[in-house]
């Protein structure tokens, strides 16, 4: 008996259309530092963080609870989580911070000669986009398995040779590490702003077009809704007005640029949709209580 093999007319013989969430892991920085001081009154930024230390001694304080960083653990922190940090028994300043550290490769001699205790600190900053950057805040600690340790070691080996340029392969390793940790978060922890597809589409449009005119009528048109109906739905789903959300996202993007780029304040103002540097500086200070220049001085990653 002969069995006839019929070749499907299409590449996928299934007649079920599948839908997958859209997300993009955007790497902002990946660095390996030695630290002698790491005392911050408050750290809270609009991006994710990963921490791993080679020795005991660092602590994160979140909601009056201390989390110790150890070589056997890796820490994942969602965006806009507010926490304090310290090394050893150092006192946390009442305001501001005390940071003493630098790249491992450039400061190897100092590490050998300094009399102060220090440790090695790997940190990665990244975003995955709206709505997934809106997970509830918290501190997540995971056991460092051999699988994760292998990725960390490859990343550290690269950073010991080159801190500026990353090959496609090492970028995949960093993103694979991030994906491994994100998959360990319970599904119930993902607290999305909205499940309404019109609002989700609008939020993505805002994120991708911060330099453009994002007036209520334009955004309502993108959502294919009447302006007043759109404004009401947005406020009900997101919890704040459309324009307050737009302003917050522009300030978030400005913080990321001030922290992770060498763009001038004028360029950042333009890229985040402000009329000029002065308008940007005024709104930025209203939102963060400090000027863009001071923010860059305190939190910039030029080292």
């Amino acid at each position: 008996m002969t069995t006839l093999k019929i070749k499907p007319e299409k590449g996928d013989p299934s007649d079920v259309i599948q839908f997958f969430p859209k997300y993009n892991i955007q790497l902002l920085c990946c660095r390996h530092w030695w630290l002698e001081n790491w005392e911050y009154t408050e750290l809270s930024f609009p991006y994710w963080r990963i921490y791993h230390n080679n020795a005991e001694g660092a602590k994160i304080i979140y909601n009056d609870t201390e989390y110790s960083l150890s070589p056997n653990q890796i820490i994942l922190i969602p965006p806009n989580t507010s926490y304090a940090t310290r090394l050893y028994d150092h006192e946390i300043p009442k305001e501001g911070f005390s940071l003493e550290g630098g790249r491992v490769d450039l400061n190897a001699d100092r590490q050998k000669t300094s009399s102060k205790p220090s440790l090695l600190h790997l940190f990665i900053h990244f975003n995955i986009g709206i709505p997934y950057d809106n997970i509830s805040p918290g501190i997540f600690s995971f056991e460092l398995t051999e699988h994760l340790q292998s990725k960390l070691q490859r990343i550290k080996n690269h950073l010991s040779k080159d801190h500026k340029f990353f090959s496609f392969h090492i970028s995949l390793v960093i993103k694979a590490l991030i994906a491994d940790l994100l998959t360990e978060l319970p599904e119930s922890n993902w607290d999305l702003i909205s499940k309404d597809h019109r609002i989700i589409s609008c939020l993505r449009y805002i994120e991708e077009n911060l330099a453009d005119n994002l007036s209520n009528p334009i955004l309502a048109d993108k959502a294919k809704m009447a302006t007043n109906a759109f404004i009401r739905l947005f406020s009900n789903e997101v919890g704040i007005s459309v324009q307050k959300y737009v302003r917050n996202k522009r300030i978030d993007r400005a913080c990321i640029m001030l922290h992770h780029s060498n763009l001038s304040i004028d360029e950042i103002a333009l890229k985040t949709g402000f009329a000029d540097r002065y308008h940007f500086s005024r709104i930025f200070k209203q939102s963060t209580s400090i000027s863009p220049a001071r923010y860059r001085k305190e939190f910039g990653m030029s080292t």
Side-chain angles (χ1 to χ4, degrees):
M1 181 177 180
T2 303
T3 302
L4 296 177
K5 295 183 178 181
I6 302 175
K7 183 179 179 180
E9 293 182 2
K10 299 180 180 179
D12 182 355
S14 172
D15 60 355
V16 177
I17 298 175
Q18 297 177 312
F19 298 91
F20 299 95
K22 294 180 180 179
Y23 70 95
N24 176 40
I25 297 176
Q26 180 187 7
L27 297 175
L28 300 174
C29 79
C30 177
R31 300 176 188 268
H32 197 201
W33 275 27
W34 58 269
L35 292 177
E36 290 181 354
N37 286 89
W38 190 50
E39 289 72 57
Y40 279 88
T41 306
E42 181 184 26
L43 287 172
S44 179
F45 299 101
Y47 46 80
W48 296 77
R49 292 183 167 217
I50 290 173
Y51 292 149
H52 179 258
N53 291 354
N54 76 319
E56 305 276 353
K59 294 183 183 296
I60 292 172
I61 301 91
Y62 172 71
N63 282 352
D64 298 323
T65 300
E66 282 197 351
Y67 297 81
S68 296
L69 279 70
S70 76
N72 299 321
Q73 292 176 308
I74 187 166
I75 303 294
L76 177 67
I77 305 176
N80 301 311
T81 299
S82 178
Y83 57 97
T85 63
R86 67 180 173 88
L87 284 186
Y88 310 115
D89 58 353
H90 300 168
E91 185 176 348
I92 300 175
K94 292 183 179 179
E95 293 183 1
F97 64 96
S98 176
L99 176 66
E100 188 69 33
R103 288 204 310 272
V104 170
D105 59 333
L106 290 185
N107 296 282
D109 292 339
R110 175 166 182 170
Q111 286 176 258
K112 295 176 183 177
T113 59
S114 176
S115 60
K116 294 176 66 176
S118 66
L119 53 75
L120 302 184
H121 175 71
L122 177 83
F123 57 100
I124 301 170
H125 301 169
F126 65 96
N127 283 112
I128 55 179
I130 294 295
Y132 306 106
D133 284 337
N134 289 287
I135 186 174
S136 299
I139 306 294
F140 299 94
S141 179
F142 303 103
E143 181 181 353
L144 191 64
T145 63
E146 289 185 12
H147 179 69
L148 295 174
Q149 177 62 51
S150 172
K151 288 183 173 63
L152 279 177
Q153 194 56 55
R154 290 156 77 181
I155 294 167
K156 292 176 182 179
N157 288 344
H158 174 83
L159 290 171
S160 68
K161 302 170 185 175
D162 191 346
H163 72 277
K164 191 171 183 180
F165 296 102
F166 293 81
S167 67
F168 176 69
H169 173 75
I170 199 65
S171 295
L172 285 178
V173 173
I174 298 170
K175 290 187 176 184
L177 173 69
I178 292 170
D180 284 344
L181 297 179
L182 292 176
T183 57
E184 291 301 315
L185 294 177
E187 189 171 356
S188 60
N189 280 63
W190 295 94
D191 183 18
L192 306 185
I193 284 181
S194 171
K195 291 182 171 60
D196 190 294
H197 70 91
R198 295 166 296 181
I199 298 300
I200 294 295
S201 176
C202 179
L203 296 180
R204 289 199 176 112
Y205 182 83
I206 291 170
E207 187 172 72
E208 294 168 2
N209 297 276
L210 286 173
D212 298 339
N213 181 358
L214 297 173
S215 66
N216 290 345
I218 287 176
L219 294 175
D221 183 65
K222 296 296 179 182
K224 296 180 172 55
M225 296 179 65
T227 301
N228 289 339
F230 167 73
I231 291 171
R232 286 194 299 272
L233 177 64
F234 190 99
S235 296
N236 290 337
E237 290 288 315
V238 180
I240 59 175
S241 70
V242 180
Q243 290 310 308
K244 186 173 182 180
Y245 180 86
V246 169
R247 187 192 69 177
N248 290 348
K249 294 307 295 182
R250 283 173 166 158
I251 295 300
D252 283 353
R253 182 67 58 81
C255 288
I256 291 172
M257 290 180 177
L258 288 167
H259 200 155
H260 296 101
S261 81
N262 293 320
L263 293 173
S264 70
I265 292 176
D266 291 278
E267 289 173 314
I268 292 173
L270 184 64
K271 287 181 177 293
T272 50
F274 291 94
D276 51 44
R277 175 194 180 114
Y278 305 101
H279 179 223
F280 165 59
S281 296
R282 179 170 60 83
I283 300 300
F284 188 92
K285 191 168 185 179
Q286 285 178 0
S287 299
T288 66
S289 299
I290 62 175
S291 68
R294 182 181 167 191
Y295 185 96
R296 168 164 276 170
K297 182 178 179 181
E298 293 191 359
F299 301 113
M301 300 298 300
S302 58
T303 301

